[in-house]
Each structure stands twice: as C-alpha cells, then as structure tokens.
Amino acid sequence: MKIISKIVWAIILIALFGFALKNSQIVTLEYFLGYEFTAPLVLLLFGFFLAGGILGCLAMVPMVFRHRRDISKHKKTIAEIEKGRQADQKASLQPPPPDSV
C-alpha cells in the first residue's frame, strides 16, 4: 500500500510540475483603486490555493474547540459514572449487616 501511495504522489507531483512549466506566462492581477500585481500564473494560482487552505483551516478552529470542550465534558461524565459504579460494586461485595433484634 505504501508503494501505491508513493507512486500516486509521484504522478501528482509530475503533473503539477508539468502544469507549472506550461503556465509560466506573466499575468497581471488588478485590484481596486488602480493597484496591480504582476507575477507568473503558477505563483498566483499557488498563492490563492494556499490562502484558501489557510482560510479553510481558520474556519474550522471554532468547531474544533467546541468538540474539544464537549469531549472534556463527556470524559467528566464518564468518570462520575465509573466512580458511582465502583461504589455500587464495592457496596455489593460487602457482607450484609447482621440482623438486630
């Protein structure tokens, strides 16, 4: 399985390298108020891809923290249940008190 994974990654790398070689022309990105940025097409595409990945990860941050908080609450609840269960088992293992007359 590792070999297949490495072969797939090599094919993807070669395809991306070929894409970069074929799209090396200079493009101009125009902003508001007359600002311009000139760079090779591949660098602009890579920059926007990277920015999208970073923004996607930042969008996930609140959800990750919410899940961590929920997990810690569930762990506390499980610990309380386990403590109660151990107390019940301990009480059931003790012999019953003698009958008083």
Side-chain angles (χ1 to χ4, degrees):
M1 190 65 182
K2 285 184 178 182
I3 295 173
I4 294 173
S5 172
K6 288 181 181 182
I7 291 172
V8 168
W9 277 109
I11 291 172
I12 290 172
L13 183 65
I14 291 170
L16 290 176
F17 185 69
F19 177 77
L21 288 177
K22 293 300 261 182
N23 293 294
S24 62
Q25 63 267 25
I26 301 296
V27 293
T28 302
L29 184 64
E30 298 179 4
Y31 297 103
F32 295 108
L33 303 175
Y35 292 109
E36 294 181 350
F37 181 72
T38 304
L41 176 63
V42 172
L43 291 180
L44 287 176
L45 288 175
F46 177 71
F48 282 107
F49 179 75
L50 186 65
I54 290 170
L55 288 175
C57 289
L58 287 175
M60 287 186 340
V61 167
M63 182 178 55
V64 168
F65 283 123
R66 187 175 342 122
H67 285 302
R68 285 186 179 184
R69 187 180 61 234
D70 289 344
I71 287 171
S72 68
K73 285 181 185 178
H74 292 313
K75 284 183 179 180
K76 288 178 185 176
T77 304
I78 289 171
E80 290 174 3
I81 291 171
E82 288 289 329
K83 185 188 269 186
R85 202 174 95 189
Q86 287 175 356
D88 290 343
Q89 284 180 347
K90 191 175 185 181
S92 68
L93 292 176
Q94 293 178 351
D99 291 336
S100 60
V101 182

